[in-house]
Amino acid sequence: MTMLIVKRVEVLVQFGDFLNIEIFRRGFYSLDCRVYYGSEAEQQRRDASLVTIISTGFAEKTEATLKPTIRHYETCQRGHICNWRCRDQQTVFSSQVFRIDVQGETVPLESAALFAVEVPVLQKSDGHYNIFAEVDLYFLDTEKGTEVTSHSHLKYQQTRRFKFKNVLQETDLSAMSIIHSHSMVQFDGIFVASCDLLVSASFTGYLFKTDEEAKAYHAAQRPKSTQNSSMGVLEWMSVGVAASVTNVDALEIPTTATPASLKTLLLESVTILRELQRCISQSEAFQELDHEYISANFQTLLLDNVKSNCLIMPDAKIVALVAVGLTGNETFKQMEEKHEISIAMICETMADQFMAQNEEQDVIPGLIRVIDLLSSKLQCVWMIFSSDSGILSSLHIQNRRLLATSERAHADLSFLTATPITAEQEFVQAVKSASETREALLALSQSTHDCDDRKAVIITDSRNHQAEAEGSLLPLFSKARTAFLDSIKNRDSVASSHSEHSLKSLLADFPLPPHFFKHLIVFVHGLFGNSFDMTMYRNQVVHSLRCLGFYANDQAYLVSAVNEADTLQDIGIMADRLVSEIRAFIREKHINVERISFVCHSLGGIIARCAIQTEGMASFQAKLESFVSFSSPHASLYFHSNALMISALRVYQLIGQSKSLDQLNLKDDPNPRKCLLYKLAQNESNGLAKFRNVRFFGSHQDGYVPIDSALVDASSHLKKREENKISNAENPLMNEVFVEMAEKINNCGNIEKFAVQFGSAYPITLSSDSLIGRTAHIAFLTDKTFLNLASLICKLHN
């Protein structure tokens, strides 16, 4: 018998808290979410139908201009940005419209939507089909004075896409249900913010359609531009998911229903029913909290898992269900009690016996009947879960966010290696190995951002820093965990995060009390840079701390802007200006500095080192905490091997006569031992040696700053000296100067060095930036993967 067989997958999507990290524009915001099944390679998709919206009681009490709703689009809102062949009409889940006025505030969205999508059972699966979720950010500027009476008044800004793991596999025997997977939807640009995205998804049964029924089904369900209503729950239960995309129809190949293929579907249904029940029974959020707090806060933490437990069918009941469906009696029920064999083997034995004892025309309807019974049980379990314990409270969302952030941090450190990498093939292999390790460590997050391996980053530390980095993060995570559990104890003082942050919003424009901030972190940009260069790294640190629950962190951030106008002048003058800027910032913000750290890029690292050794910073030397430099030429640019860069610097010097470039090239004095960089190195006992830890980052791919200079590595110069291979053209004196500077700096004894390999710096097409090595130099400021890893290595500066 030839028929169209489709499997139904249902996805529960819940928004948690919207965290404003640094949104530059005040106004109204909203999030849209859509779910679809498709092939990215062929850019084809089938949109899921939106079954219903579920708003939590907490979300209903919050102030919102417009409540969560179902929206219908006649055309794709992203226009040329979207590469998919979208359907004529799209149905999406829209959060409430909320207003952002104060930097750092948190808005609880806490609403959810249930999606359903039909996935064709293909004769051969090439593995390219997945289920995706997209979250769009919409915005309306309050300065325009538009009255917001509809979600449509807001304009599309950005999209983030997630791919669900394990829901679709080449065989459903290896597929898994996703329960309360947590991810952070992160937006950037002028909308630096993030939002909790919690996803639960599961296969919930099969539908069988003959050729004629399939044709009639597609003809009846094909989207029309005038259609503007969503499918109700009852209609969904009886008919299934509405409307496929025209281009996807060709993928729905009618499959020949044979006893063997139907037996496979039966066993898959049994396996997934047991897996779904197991996932739900083990996912109760209060089980993740420490037991000592459960008894004291039982009413707050309990997720009413009684209904869920009542739905759990023991293996004997599942076997009996299959037996009744096949033979009309429960004779096989006793088999499990007499023999220690798996339920899958029992069901397979029953199916084999049924197939052997009956004709094919009777076997096929019988197997379909059992599959329908199992599908109804799957739907029953899922429907009650999605309307009950599938929706998490605000407290459990915070807990999930904390746990997922900790888990992802440990997993991301898989991209630290002790093996030096220089060739692209070595990089690809290292990324593959690290990605596999990372995926194995991620248990809480089964939905992932789409990722191109070329955008991955590998960081090499010869001392195998990974284990040390993981250990150094444990105190921070432990502190976050303790703070969260203490907040449960003191719920009277933190009655709701919404009221707490509303109070913060009211006080945001008032000066902070003295002694509030204790750790000042100063960010210093490089040559031709500006204050915005360092904001991505700062925002990454702030975002990670917010996800861990540190809303009232003791860190204060100064993004230096005093030297933006001219970075070609004397480095000493720029250092004095930086010191004055730091002292003025401390006075204006009423900061009682207990610790001070520096994060610098390129020339900024030299400016900061010079500033630290000035008299204006003498009172802070006992408080120096950490010094981090991204590709700073600590040992000069003299031994630059990039011919294009050398020529460009010579031409610029002839035109611009830059003092700072002379200093970076050890040409500010005829005697190199009287140059600024050399004198800085000789006096590091009053500079870098005062910091508790120093971290240098450099890259072989950086054509602006040689990695030997960025990491202060004199090994190649020492080797040439030992082998007596220094030519006159290389200037033996300058080689000795380099070695002497490196020895003084390295004698500080508290320096960690990291060689970075950027996937984004491998040129797919030749460009001027890739030829001169600018891509990697700028990647230290813009590559999100690197910034995340660097912030973890630096322990979020705690």
Side-chain angles (χ1 to χ4, degrees), residues 610-644:
C610 189
I612 293 161
Q613 295 184 17
T614 63
E615 292 184 4
M617 291 293 292
S619 59
F620 297 106
Q621 286 205 343
K623 302 176 181 180
L624 296 177
E625 176 71 14
S626 64
F627 182 93
V628 180
S629 69
F630 299 147
S631 197
S632 293
H634 295 294
S636 83
L637 297 175
Y638 184 86
F639 288 96
H640 216 304
S641 60
N642 188 331
L644 288 174

Side-chain angles (χ1 to χ4, degrees), residues 750-771:
N750 55 350
I751 300 177
E752 301 171 12
K753 301 178 181 181
F754 303 91
V756 185
Q757 204 77 359
F758 295 98
S760 58
Y762 287 110
I764 300 175
T765 57
L766 291 179
S767 64
S768 58
D769 283 351
S770 62
L771 285 174

Side-chain angles (χ1 to χ4, degrees), residues 396-456:
H396 293 117
I397 291 174
Q398 293 177 38
N399 182 55
R400 202 73 177 180
R401 185 194 310 146
L402 190 158
L403 294 175
T405 301
S406 304
E407 181 185 76
R408 278 193 290 268
H410 286 297
D412 288 341
L413 291 175
S414 302
F415 289 86
L416 284 179
T417 178
T419 306
I421 296 173
T422 54
E424 182 174 1
Q425 188 59 40
E426 294 175 350
F427 172 81
V428 171
Q429 191 62 37
V431 168
K432 180 180 179 181
S433 176
S435 298
E436 291 173 352
T437 302
R438 183 181 186 275
E439 292 301 308
L441 292 173
L442 289 176
L444 291 177
S445 183
Q446 294 295 327
S447 54
T448 59
H449 281 285
D450 286 346
C451 179
D452 179 359
D453 286 345
R454 283 189 169 273
K455 296 179 182 178

Side-chain angles (χ1 to χ4, degrees), residues 438-504:
R438 183 181 186 275
E439 292 301 308
L441 292 173
L442 289 176
L444 291 177
S445 183
Q446 294 295 327
S447 54
T448 59
H449 281 285
D450 286 346
C451 179
D452 179 359
D453 286 345
R454 283 189 169 273
K455 296 179 182 178
V457 170
I458 294 291
I459 297 182
T460 304
D461 175 30
S462 58
R463 295 178 300 173
N464 194 12
H465 188 73
Q466 179 178 352
E468 181 182 343
E470 290 179 353
S472 66
L473 287 172
L474 290 178
L476 177 63
F477 296 146
S478 177
K479 178 181 176 182
R481 185 70 173 164
T482 301
F484 171 73
L485 294 173
D486 287 343
S487 70
I488 300 176
K489 285 182 176 179
N490 305 308
R491 291 193 62 80
D492 290 340
S493 60
V494 285
S496 71
S497 59
H498 179 66
S499 61
E500 176 188 2
H501 296 300
S502 295
L503 178 60
K504 287 183 180 179

Side-chain angles (χ1 to χ4, degrees), residues 549-564:
F550 293 113
Y551 289 96
N553 194 45
D554 68 349
Q555 294 180 356
Y557 309 102
L558 167 59
V559 183
S560 177
V562 71
N563 290 310
E564 285 182 336

